Amino acid sequence: MTTGQLHLAAVPPGADPAGPGAGDPAGVGTGALWTGAGAGSRVAFASFERLAGAAERGLFDFLLLDEEPPLPEHRGRPHELDPVGGPEPVAVLAALAGVTTRLGLAATVDAAAAEPYDLARRLATLDHVSEGRAGWRVAAGAGHRFGGPPDPYGRAAELVLAARRLWDSWSPGGAPRPFVHRGRHFDIAGEFGLPRSPQGHPVVIRSGESERARELAAASADVLLVRHAPPGPARARYTDVKRRLAAYGRGPGDLKVMSRITVVLGDTAGAAQERAAGIRRQLIGPRHALYAVERIWGTDLSGYDPDGPLPRSEPRARDRRTRALAARWRALAEEKGLSLRETVIEASGRQSFVGTPGTVAADLHRYAAEGAADGFLLVPQLPAGGLEEFVDRVVPLLQERSAFRTEYRGRTLRSHLGVPGGTTDETDERNR
């Protein structure tokens, strides 16, 4: 990793744009995040303004906001332990453009529910009002909530292509040109109503681990968000993603791979570990623990004591993966003498980096320098102060290591990321 090339981004607490972590297969939810002291509101603009302010003070590349999460169901009805609903991300980011000056502003938009012209216009508008700081995370696969298409990933890939044709239809000199796109999912033609933005067009962000996700990212994305993994597997994944770029006439620096992480800090290693365990206990209360085990066992445990043992019965699930997971949990509980809730806490939601600020900064630097990622998407575990603490205690140490910028050099999201696609002036500024 060259000097200052580490990339950092953030999402609101509880967001999971890279998918559930390998250490959290139960998917216990995030409802407890917003119930503690100082948590604030998960829908009020002040909460987003505070998060954006901290991210910009920390010189982060971008803040990513997700769409409304899918309605969680449990035993055939809405699961009341998880928060449901949220403000529309592009609208919130447009408001944040007025209270920030350099921070990238990225929105998740589900491709299953979007049409090319409307989507391209909304994102181009955000790009203009933010003066070139917009990004779009392409979400695919959630369309079943809307009775979506049978091929959501194919539709998403074509949507990206169509949106780019719309954005690129204006000449660099500012003249509109007719566009035509005829494909399997979309057939549109005409003129686009907005000229190019200062960065050419919004940054495209994808997420996922599958073969198809990697190939789509190599073909058309500027950023790929991935689950955090140990250094060895992460290096293999990173190398695989980067090697795919050549087939599309792209270089290794044209796509940034960012690992989704959680961080817990303490003044000593022991204090950090104790704090991490406390956060897991806070996030996984008795009802959340029962919910997690019910999902795996396929059994109604409403009358179970969460401080008692795991169910003695075998899971009802027929698939091998779920039964293997249940066996691992049972073995863990027997080995350590854990209750049902303690087992869920021990098995789920392990934080990515736990330690003193110095240790965490060194580990992040090493992880990126050894070719496991280009940067990190930070997911604060608690709403009150999680991002601010990282900015105040870890970012300065990364800067001392010459691993992270000490100032924004450019004004657009593309300039922060160092990815091509901007105007000639922007490319010159990025390479200054």
Side-chain angles (χ1 to χ4, degrees), residues 37-95:
S41 168
R42 55 182 299 274
V43 297
F45 180 71
S47 298
F48 297 103
E49 185 176 16
R50 175 183 175 181
L51 193 66
E56 185 163 72
R57 181 164 58 83
L59 306 176
F60 277 41
D61 292 51
F62 62 88
L63 172 68
L64 172 63
L65 300 186
D66 265 353
E67 283 195 316
E68 178 181 350
L71 182 67
E73 292 187 2
H74 184 48
R75 294 201 295 266
R77 61 180 184 273
H79 179 222
E80 71 275 12
L81 298 180
D82 279 335
V84 177
E88 200 281 319
V90 177
V92 174
L93 293 170

Side-chain angles (χ1 to χ4, degrees), residues 10-329:
V11 295
D16 199 4
D24 188 18
V28 295
T30 59
L33 282 170
W34 300 96
T35 57
S41 168
R42 55 182 299 274
V43 297
F45 180 71
S47 298
F48 297 103
E49 185 176 16
R50 175 183 175 181
L51 193 66
E56 185 163 72
R57 181 164 58 83
L59 306 176
F60 277 41
D61 292 51
F62 62 88
L63 172 68
L64 172 63
L65 300 186
D66 265 353
E67 283 195 316
E68 178 181 350
L71 182 67
E73 292 187 2
H74 184 48
R75 294 201 295 266
R77 61 180 184 273
H79 179 222
E80 71 275 12
L81 298 180
D82 279 335
V84 177
E88 200 281 319
V90 177
V92 174
L93 293 170
L96 289 176
V99 296
T100 57
T101 59
R102 298 293 183 93
L103 179 69
L105 304 170
T108 295
V109 179
D110 188 354
E115 294 296 327
Y117 190 94
D118 176 68
L119 170 79
R121 186 167 179 266
R122 288 166 58 206
L123 292 173
T125 299
L126 176 61
D127 214 18
H128 276 283
V129 299
S130 65
E131 299 182 317
R133 295 185 281 135
W136 167 31
R137 177 185 163 249
V138 185
H144 64 276
R145 288 186 284 143
F146 309 100
D151 180 21
Y153 294 97
R155 190 181 198 275
E158 188 178 332
L159 183 64
V160 172
L161 176 61
R164 279 191 157 147
R165 285 179 174 165
L166 289 164
W167 293 327
D168 290 339
S169 63
W170 279 66
S171 72
R177 296 177 298 195
F179 68 84
V180 176
H181 174 87
R182 290 188 171 89
R184 178 183 176 189
H185 299 278
F186 308 110
D187 186 350
I188 55 175
E191 286 189 359
F192 190 52
L194 284 174
R196 290 171 180 262
S197 78
Q199 67 170 348
H201 55 69
V203 164
V204 174
I205 303 168
R206 284 193 173 273
S207 59
E209 301 288 318
S210 68
E211 182 81 11
R212 189 169 190 181
R214 297 182 189 192
E215 196 66 24
L216 288 172
S220 62
D222 302 299
V223 176
L224 175 63
L225 305 177
V226 296
R227 294 192 300 262
H228 186 66
R235 283 193 296 270
R237 175 181 60 197
Y238 182 88
T239 300
D240 175 67
V241 170
K242 296 286 185 172
R243 72 167 177 78
R244 296 170 187 259
L245 292 163
Y248 301 96
R250 309 177 69 194
D254 293 350
L255 174 67
K256 305 303 180 185
V257 178
M258 301 181 71
S259 176
R260 169 200 180 278
I261 63 168
T262 53
V263 172
V264 179
L265 303 176
D267 292 332
T268 66
Q273 291 291 345
E274 184 176 345
R275 187 183 183 197
I279 290 174
R280 293 198 299 274
R281 287 193 296 271
Q282 180 178 345
L283 294 180
I284 304 175
R287 295 177 68 197
H288 283 90
L290 286 173
Y291 167 58
V293 175
E294 283 186 345
R295 289 188 61 187
I296 295 172
W297 258 258
T299 303
D300 182 357
L301 300 178
S302 54
Y304 247 70
D305 179 4
D307 294 319
L310 286 173
R312 293 187 177 87
S313 61
E314 292 299 316
R316 292 183 178 179
R318 296 180 180 179
D319 65 286
R320 186 179 304 174
R321 183 178 179 183
T322 302
R323 296 181 72 87
L325 177 61
R328 289 199 300 272
W329 280 28

